[in-house]
Amino acid sequence: MKPLKAELMLFVVTMFWGSSYLFMKMGLGSLGEFNLIALRFGLAFILAAVLFHKRLRTVDARTVKYGALLGFLLLGVFTCITFGLKTTTTSNAGFLVALTVVFVPMLEVLVFKKRVAPPQLFGAILAISGIGLLTLNGSLQVRPGDLLCILSAVFYAVQILVTGRSVKTSDSLNIGILQLGFAGGYALILSSVFETPSLPSTLPGWIAILALGIFCSACGFILQPVAQKYTSPTRTGLIFALEPVFAAFFGYWFVHEKLSLQGYTGAALVLLGIVASELLGKLHFVPPARLLKKRRANL
């Protein structure tokens, strides 16, 4: 596959994920939060399992264990988002969840004691400043939905780090498929306890579930690893940084959501922080002392 085709695939995946906030908000009009998650990931798992049933025959106990753990983290991500969308806009949700890119290196510093690159520190400062402008109102209060979306970004960052460890010893595609099934199964249990599980009763509800299950989950999780093989991590990061832009676009176009001037400024700072952390942080940085030592060695 040519890099251009792979990058177009990633662009489409990013567009799907950007639209997911709108579809989740649509689905919440007729479904409970856990019910929505169960239907979304249950449908995605069934489609992926049918397409890759031969691959799933090779699943071992280690892969199932990682799938169960990642499914739990995925449930945390989307539980926070779906509950958060009840009291915040799709635009805010998109930009706040995208902070995952900033939280990943921050968690690596706290948990794995890795050194943070200056561009990542700069990106984090920009993003945190943007959060303040995007979420604080005149009385310096933050909406509960905004806090939940920030928490979902933390869950997502942990999920990414655990995924990075798990794919070193297990089949990445099988892990990706199993996590969808476990996330849907966990959500179904919670829906049975706290809600009454049901199928959508309205046309917008069906549209939301089908779009979330087929395009945003099944296609997204299948196309992403395939396309990433044929392009660089830097280009992938840049494309994924467009997700909150798509979220804001769909929110404006279909439900006429608008940000204030303060909100647009905050969104711009969040986006700049994401780009700085994801792109500049991946540039190969060689400290001057190491560079001088290397030059001397070559003399």
Side-chain angles (χ1 to χ4, degrees), residues 52 55-56 58-59 63 171-179:
F52 299 100
R55 188 76 165 265
L56 285 172
T58 63
V59 168
T63 304
D171 184 279
S172 58
L173 182 59
N174 282 341
I175 286 176
I177 295 172
L178 287 176
Q179 73 174 347

Side-chain angles (χ1 to χ4, degrees), residues 126-137:
L126 282 178
I128 291 170
S129 301
I131 289 174
L133 291 174
L134 194 62
T135 61
L136 292 174
N137 56 26

